[in-house]
Amino acid sequence: WKEFNMIHAIEKVMDSNFSKFVPLKYIGVIAESLEKLESEHGNVYIVENHGYAVFKRESDNKILKPLTYRPPNDLKETIYQFN
């Protein structure tokens, strides 16, 4: 049977989601991310939130993935198999 490590899976997804927020002190990363995102998505704006930059697409306010974004690694590693 298989056991799913829910805590580990949640941590991986949370880490990924938090990587969408760029500390304001990383001005170069913010500028490069904005340039890349605008070339891909059109008009993009930045929201400052508690010391972080959050990139949003103007047309629908969707949070976009900056250069610092890290997708959750394969969640299969959170499943244990027992024989």
Side-chain angles (χ1 to χ4, degrees):
W1 57 282
K2 295 180 182 180
E3 182 178 316
F4 186 71
N5 185 337
M6 183 61 91
I7 300 297
H8 186 62
I10 290 171
E11 288 172 346
K12 291 173 77 65
V13 172
M14 282 179 22
D15 288 345
S16 175
N17 285 337
F18 284 125
S19 72
K20 294 177 186 177
F21 300 87
V22 181
L24 293 174
K25 66 182 179 181
Y26 298 126
I27 296 169
V29 173
I30 292 170
E32 289 178 38
S33 293
L34 183 60
E35 183 178 329
K36 177 183 178 285
L37 292 170
E38 285 184 329
S39 72
E40 295 174 356
H41 299 280
N43 293 333
V44 173
Y45 66 99
I46 298 172
V47 175
E48 293 182 18
N49 189 340
H50 298 283
Y52 291 88
V54 182
F55 298 86
K56 290 190 166 188
R57 184 169 46 213
E58 195 172 287
S59 62
D60 61 1
N61 298 315
K62 179 182 181 344
I63 293 176
L64 301 174
K65 299 168 184 160
L67 296 174
T68 56
Y69 175 72
R70 294 180 315 274
N73 293 332
D74 190 1
L75 292 178
K76 288 179 186 175
E77 71 184 44
T78 64
I79 297 174
Y80 303 109
Q81 291 191 338
F82 299 93
N83 295 324

